[in-house]
Amino acid sequence: MNKFSILFSVFISFLLGACTTSEDDWVNIMNSVSDTVYGIADPLINYNERLVEKQNLEQLDYLNASLEANPGDLELLFQRSFVRNSVGDYYGAIEDCREVLKRSPEFSLRRNCYSRIAYNYMALKDVHGMVRAYNEMFKEFPPTPASYTGRARRRWELGDVEGAKIDYERAVLYGSNDWAAYNSRAKFRQALGNFDGAKEDYDKAVILAKDNFVPLVNRADFMREVGEYDFAIADLNKAVELGYDHKVAKDLIDEILEDKENVKVLEEKEVKKAKMIDNVEDYLIEKNNNKKKNEDIEFDNLN
């Protein structure tokens, strides 16, 4: 019997035994259903992965053949770098981009090649190679706040926190009026626990963004984290006025209100606990004082 037949049989048993099945039998049935469904799903997932891998390899064969016939087609060479990346040949992808840089004067293609080289070093978890690729790009193309922010984020993901900090500082320096640069550094500072710095950057981003709701939503998340729930709700309401999805904002506000209530309940419990401790301490002090008084009276009576 194949797995689909088993699943169908389990379903029929489920219907026929609804009134007579014991609790232990229900557990066995549900386990059977789970095992069957997972047993079907796993091969499907593996099949899809194999299919994608097969398609990538077929595409790589096609590009290899096309480049043999047209060795001067640099667009094909750049496309092959993508496919090589997809099959895990990161050094091969870098090699293709390097070859394009040697032979192509085209502005956007060269810039994209530098970015792809950095991306492949990122995949190799080589932070130094990634930084070098960006530095090469900066020599040819003036750095922008976005390019520094992009490198900062990649440095951060690779664990180079100090390097990321330097690049976020550069992004703000080059983009003193760029709200996205402040917004990115704010998220970085928030993750590191620098809440004062994060608040300062979010405030600056909100002012510079004017009609963009993104920094408002991010500041709302920050305000929620630090327990400023009313400010978080105010930011989300303002974000809705600027075009942020009303339903998403409502769901977030409901979660924030729930957080606020939970904190309130916790604080009330802590207050009760403190009062209880104070009462116990007062009781013990009074008891000790009374005991001492009684001992003094007894001592006086003896004398």
Side-chain angles (χ1 to χ4, degrees):
M1 182 181 293
N2 61 36
K3 290 179 178 176
F4 291 100
S5 299
I6 294 171
L7 183 60
F8 180 74
S9 299
V10 169
F11 178 68
I12 295 299
S13 300
F14 175 87
L15 293 177
L16 295 175
C19 298
T20 58
T21 307
S22 68
E23 184 175 351
D24 289 341
D25 288 337
W26 279 123
V27 173
N28 292 332
I29 289 173
M30 295 311 297
N31 287 339
S32 298
V33 172
S34 298
D35 291 343
T36 303
V37 171
Y38 282 117
I40 295 169
D42 286 345
L44 289 176
I45 293 170
N46 293 334
Y47 172 77
N48 287 332
E49 290 176 350
R50 290 197 301 272
L51 181 62
V52 170
E53 183 180 1
K54 181 173 180 292
Q55 290 171 341
N56 285 333
L57 291 173
E58 288 175 352
Q59 189 176 7
L60 184 59
D61 289 340
Y62 167 78
L63 288 169
N64 287 336
S66 298
L67 283 167
E68 285 182 11
N70 304 282
D73 194 329
L74 300 183
E75 287 288 346
L76 282 177
L77 193 59
F78 182 62
Q79 289 177 25
R80 189 173 71 174
S81 73
F82 278 86
V83 181
R84 279 183 151 183
N85 174 274
S86 299
V87 298
D89 182 12
Y90 305 122
Y91 287 112
I94 292 171
E95 180 184 353
D96 281 348
C97 286
R98 292 285 183 199
E99 187 63 26
V100 173
L101 288 172
K102 288 179 184 177
R103 296 160 56 187
S104 174
E106 204 276 313
F107 176 90
S108 61
L109 186 58
R110 292 183 64 81
R111 188 178 181 88
N112 288 337
C113 276
Y114 285 121
S115 296
R116 292 303 303 174
I117 291 170
Y119 180 82
N120 280 282
Y121 276 120
M122 178 83 175
L124 289 165
K125 301 189 183 303
D126 183 349
V127 65
H128 299 296
M130 185 268 293
V131 171
R132 283 196 306 272
Y134 268 100
N135 286 338
E136 290 172 12
M137 180 172 70
F138 293 163
K139 288 178 181 178
E140 187 171 341
F141 304 98
T144 63
S147 59
Y148 275 126
T149 297
R151 188 169 74 174
R153 184 173 59 253
R154 289 175 174 178
R155 278 180 143 174
W156 185 14
E157 290 175 8
L158 291 175
D160 182 13
V161 176
E162 287 303 314
K165 182 179 180 181
I166 291 170
D167 275 344
Y168 278 121
E169 297 294 336
R170 287 170 176 163
V172 170
L173 180 65
Y174 275 84
S176 57
N177 293 316
D178 188 331
W179 69 263
Y182 284 99
N183 182 72
S184 295
R185 189 175 70 172
K187 293 170 75 173
F188 175 69
R189 285 177 161 181
Q190 179 182 349
L192 295 183
N194 180 6
F195 295 139
D196 289 338
K199 175 66 165 54
E200 181 182 342
D201 279 349
Y202 279 128
D203 290 347
K204 185 74 172 178
V206 168
I207 292 170
L208 291 173
K210 296 180 180 178
D211 296 332
N212 194 312
F213 59 75
V214 171
L216 279 166
V217 174
N218 288 331
R219 189 172 70 176
D221 173 72
F222 167 74
M223 289 297 189
R224 178 183 181 181
E225 182 177 343
V226 297
E228 296 289 349
Y229 303 114
D230 292 335
F231 284 104
I233 291 171
D235 273 351
L236 287 172
N237 285 327
K238 179 64 176 176
V240 169
E241 293 176 12
L242 296 178
Y244 186 55
D245 187 274
H246 180 270
K247 186 178 184 307
V248 175
K250 182 181 180 305
D251 291 341
L252 288 173
I253 288 172
D254 288 342
E255 291 177 8
I256 291 170
L257 289 173
E258 185 177 352
D259 287 349
K260 184 178 179 181
E261 182 60 29
N262 290 337
V263 168
K264 181 182 176 182
V265 170
L266 184 62
E267 287 176 347
E268 289 175 351
K269 287 182 178 179
E270 290 297 322
V271 169
K272 288 180 181 178
K273 183 179 178 181
K275 286 181 178 178
M276 184 181 298
I277 292 172
D278 289 342
N279 290 337
V280 170
E281 289 180 349
D282 291 342
Y283 168 75
L284 291 174
I285 290 171
E286 185 178 354
K287 182 179 179 181
N288 187 60
N289 289 339
N290 290 335
K291 180 181 179 183
K292 190 174 183 305
K293 285 179 183 178
N294 291 333
E295 289 175 349
D296 289 343
I297 290 171
E298 290 178 3
F299 181 77
D300 291 340
N301 289 336
L302 287 174
N303 293 327

